[in-house]
Amino acid sequence: MTELTLSIANTIIAAAFEKGAEAKIKPLTIAVLDAGGHLKAFQKQDGASLLRYEIAAGKAYGALAVGMGSLWLDQTARERPHFVEGLNAVSGGRIVPVPGGVLVRDQAGKLLAAVGVTGDTSDNDELVAVAGIEAAGLRHQVE
Amino acid sequence: MTELTLSIANTIIAAAFEKGAEAKIKPLTIAVLDAGGHLKAFQKQDGASLLRYEIAAGKAYGALAVGMGSLWLDQTARERPHFVEGLNAVSGGRIVPVPGGVLVRDQAGKLLAAVGVTGDTSDNDELVAVAGIEAAGLRHQVE
Amino acid sequence: MTELTLSIANTIIAAAFEKGAEAKIKPLTIAVLDAGGHLKAFQKQDGASLLRYEIAAGKAYGALAVGMGSLWLDQTARERPHFVEGLNAVSGGRIVPVPGGVLVRDQAGKLLAAVGVTGDTSDNDELVAVAGIEAAGLRHQVE
Amino acid sequence: MTELTLSIANTIIAAAFEKGAEAKIKPLTIAVLDAGGHLKAFQKQDGASLLRYEIAAGKAYGALAVGMGSLWLDQTARERPHFVEGLNAVSGGRIVPVPGGVLVRDQAGKLLAAVGVTGDTSDNDELVAVAGIEAAGLRHQVE
């Protein structure tokens, strides 16, 4: 049975940065949280702005909160904003409900972690997160 | 005069889970708060996501906050979002204003508790809460 | 590999209540948190006071925070109060550093959960937590 | 003029882990904050307990708060606990006042960052932080 290790988390971040470099996108910030919502690994590229840790972790935490990728939160926030506002309230203000927070599962579907990426457009952030997860041989869930 | 006992709270949860199993819905999380808003009993089924305690309790707490089932908060949040946002602010961020938070009254109408259910659609969550309350021989108030 | 299930959590609570009844101690409140610090199951006996959920969860959360039973926190709070105060600060005020918060491990030593008990003396609370964990066939860590 | 880069932060963490491995100490968690108190890089070794990010960052943040290594906060907390408690209060509860939070300066003395280490004794945590900073060719300030 797969567990989230630091080695896996670092592999995800490195591969995501590589994907970002290929796509020539803006400085990226990436947080990997374990399945309990606790930070496992984090890196912020040079030039990224002040609150990028909070944004990256907020995407990943939101995904874990509901068991869906943060794309789902983005869609739900448009349709039922009061649900997402309430969710954020009871989380203690820890959720950023836009794409870029992606769940990480092993090949059997077990939840291992969530990756949060911020820095470019939300769609590019998500793409980079997915690339990192695939490079680690794991499955992603974006919504 | 009826008081909320642990036995009643456990009966509500067990009956609600039974209803959920019959309806083949997703893993459920159920919180029973007493009339003072304090947790009496709680169970989270396997596979439910990270923030389900906070969501379940947030529905029940919201219902107690205004003396209406959380369906009323959902409707109000659509019509007057600023009221529900203000309510959430003064509660210290403890309210999730969507259906699934149901007040529990005895046959004389006395308020005993609130039940909060989360896991499936808000409508199914509410249905399950109602089934649990009825199984305990008590009255429910969904809005 | 053992995972924390709702069935295990309910078994721990039921056995702990049985031990409490045998020992004729005061009304008990018991919280079982998963290894990520999220509430899995909770029951509060009739007659227990207002903040018992927060106390029970606070003992269990403290144990998980440092990877030691809350007896260790109690001892550390006497020797280095500023460490435990700082720990509580960065936890967002979620820790009650007295005995009664006990880690739950499987037979291989893997961390599954923490149990928090409150209601009687801290020593009796701990005894009751240990009895519940043993009844579930799991290992306990009190410090 | 030296600036904190991600490359420097990663070098500090890698060298600190190497020192920890040599000294055969417990699983370590290391946070590098920039001079503005914002997270730059972070890694948590396998087996470290739940709240280790908050503790590591809390040591580094405390050091930046007063412009002294967290050893100074530890000493001050023993002599004037009310000062450290007040400091923690006005920080929003972000400080863990024990050794292991070390300031990072360039050779001219300019403040670049703070490193926070947790996992073993506070003294070992500090030793590991110092080793990481030296490996990056920078100056450390432990008090």
Side-chain angles (χ1 to χ4, degrees):
Chain A
M1 191 126 92
T2 315
E3 301 284 339
L4 176 70
T5 60
L6 178 55
S7 169
I8 290 176
N10 285 338
T11 297
I12 291 173
I13 294 176
F17 279 161
E18 211 170 299
K19 179 71 173 180
E22 273 173 39
K24 297 187 197 297
I25 63 181
K26 295 186 187 166
L28 290 172
T29 300
I30 307 183
V32 180
L33 307 191
D34 67 24
H38 301 281
L39 192 64
K40 186 73 179 171
F42 173 85
Q43 295 187 49
K44 177 170 162 174
Q45 291 186 318
D46 303 330
S49 68
L50 188 142
L51 221 64
R52 292 292 164 184
Y53 160 65
E54 286 78 5
I55 298 171
K59 292 181 181 188
Y61 197 86
L64 291 167
V66 292
M68 316 284 275
S70 66
L71 174 57
W72 184 88
L73 287 169
D74 186 87
Q75 292 164 339
T76 303
R78 294 169 199 266
E79 290 156 23
R80 290 194 300 156
H82 55 288
F83 171 67
V84 175
E85 288 159 14
L87 185 69
N88 218 340
V90 296
S91 80
R94 297 187 59 179
I95 293 172
V96 180
V98 300
V102 181
L103 296 178
V104 182
R105 297 186 183 276
D106 67 12
Q107 293 303 336
K110 183 191 162 199
L111 182 66
L112 297 183
V115 177
V117 177
T118 182
D120 207 87
T121 63
S122 290
D123 288 349
N124 278 344
D125 292 342
E126 186 182 286
L127 188 123
V128 157
V130 166
I133 295 164
E134 286 181 346
L138 296 166
R139 290 167 53 184
H140 62 267
Q141 178 186 349
V142 301
E143 70 183 322
Chain B
M1 188 126 91
T2 315
E3 302 285 340
L4 176 70
T5 60
L6 178 55
S7 169
I8 290 175
N10 284 338
T11 297
I12 291 172
I13 293 176
F17 278 161
E18 212 169 300
K19 180 72 175 180
E22 273 172 37
K24 296 185 198 296
I25 63 182
K26 294 187 190 164
L28 290 172
T29 300
I30 306 183
V32 180
L33 307 191
D34 68 23
H38 300 282
L39 193 64
K40 185 71 180 173
F42 173 84
Q43 294 187 50
K44 178 170 162 175
Q45 291 186 319
D46 303 331
S49 70
L50 187 145
L51 222 64
R52 293 293 163 183
Y53 160 65
E54 287 77 5
I55 298 171
K59 292 182 181 188
Y61 197 86
L64 291 166
V66 291
M68 316 283 274
S70 65
L71 174 58
W72 184 88
L73 286 170
D74 185 88
Q75 292 164 339
T76 303
R78 293 169 198 267
E79 290 156 22
R80 291 192 299 154
H82 53 287
F83 171 67
V84 174
E85 287 160 16
L87 187 69
N88 219 341
V90 295
S91 79
R94 299 187 58 179
I95 293 173
V96 179
V98 300
V102 182
L103 295 179
V104 182
R105 296 185 183 276
D106 68 12
Q107 294 304 336
K110 182 192 164 197
L111 181 66
L112 297 184
V115 177
V117 178
T118 184
D120 206 87
T121 65
S122 291
D123 288 349
N124 278 344
D125 293 342
E126 186 181 286
L127 189 122
V128 157
V130 166
I133 296 165
E134 287 181 346
L138 295 166
R139 290 167 53 186
H140 62 266
Q141 179 186 348
V142 300
E143 69 183 321
Chain C
M1 191 127 91
T2 314
E3 301 285 339
L4 177 70
T5 60
L6 178 55
S7 169
I8 290 176
N10 285 337
T11 297
I12 291 173
I13 294 177
F17 279 161
E18 210 170 301
K19 180 71 174 182
E22 272 172 39
K24 297 186 197 299
I25 63 181
K26 295 186 188 165
L28 291 172
T29 300
I30 306 184
V32 180
L33 307 191
D34 68 23
H38 300 282
L39 193 64
K40 186 72 180 173
F42 173 83
Q43 295 187 49
K44 177 171 162 175
Q45 291 186 318
D46 303 329
S49 68
L50 188 143
L51 221 64
R52 292 293 165 184
Y53 160 65
E54 286 77 6
I55 298 170
K59 292 181 180 188
Y61 197 85
L64 291 166
V66 291
M68 315 285 274
S70 66
L71 174 58
W72 183 87
L73 287 169
D74 185 89
Q75 291 163 340
T76 304
R78 295 168 199 267
E79 290 156 23
R80 289 194 300 155
H82 56 287
F83 171 67
V84 175
E85 288 160 15
L87 185 69
N88 219 341
V90 296
S91 79
R94 296 187 60 179
I95 293 172
V96 179
V98 300
V102 182
L103 296 178
V104 182
R105 297 186 183 275
D106 68 12
Q107 294 303 337
K110 182 192 163 199
L111 182 65
L112 298 184
V115 177
V117 177
T118 182
D120 207 88
T121 63
S122 291
D123 288 348
N124 278 344
D125 293 342
E126 186 182 284
L127 187 123
V128 157
V130 166
I133 296 164
E134 287 182 346
L138 295 166
R139 288 168 53 185
H140 62 267
Q141 178 186 348
V142 301
E143 70 182 321
Chain D
M1 188 126 90
T2 315
E3 301 285 340
L4 176 69
T5 60
L6 178 55
S7 169
I8 290 176
N10 285 337
T11 297
I12 291 173
I13 293 176
F17 279 161
E18 211 170 300
K19 180 71 175 180
E22 273 172 38
K24 297 186 197 297
I25 63 181
K26 294 188 189 163
L28 290 172
T29 300
I30 307 184
V32 180
L33 306 191
D34 68 22
H38 300 282
L39 192 64
K40 185 72 179 172
F42 173 84
Q43 294 187 50
K44 177 170 161 174
Q45 291 185 320
D46 303 331
S49 69
L50 188 145
L51 221 63
R52 293 293 163 184
Y53 160 65
E54 287 78 4
I55 299 171
K59 292 182 181 189
Y61 197 86
L64 290 165
V66 292
M68 316 283 275
S70 66
L71 174 58
W72 183 89
L73 287 169
D74 185 87
Q75 291 163 340
T76 303
R78 294 169 198 267
E79 289 156 23
R80 290 193 299 155
H82 54 286
F83 172 67
V84 174
E85 288 159 16
L87 187 69
N88 219 342
V90 296
S91 78
R94 298 186 59 180
I95 293 173
V96 179
V98 299
V102 182
L103 296 178
V104 182
R105 297 185 183 276
D106 68 11
Q107 294 303 335
K110 183 193 164 198
L111 181 65
L112 297 184
V115 177
V117 178
T118 183
D120 207 86
T121 65
S122 291
D123 288 348
N124 278 344
D125 294 340
E126 186 182 285
L127 188 123
V128 157
V130 165
I133 296 165
E134 286 182 345
L138 296 165
R139 290 167 53 186
H140 62 266
Q141 178 186 350
V142 300
E143 70 183 319

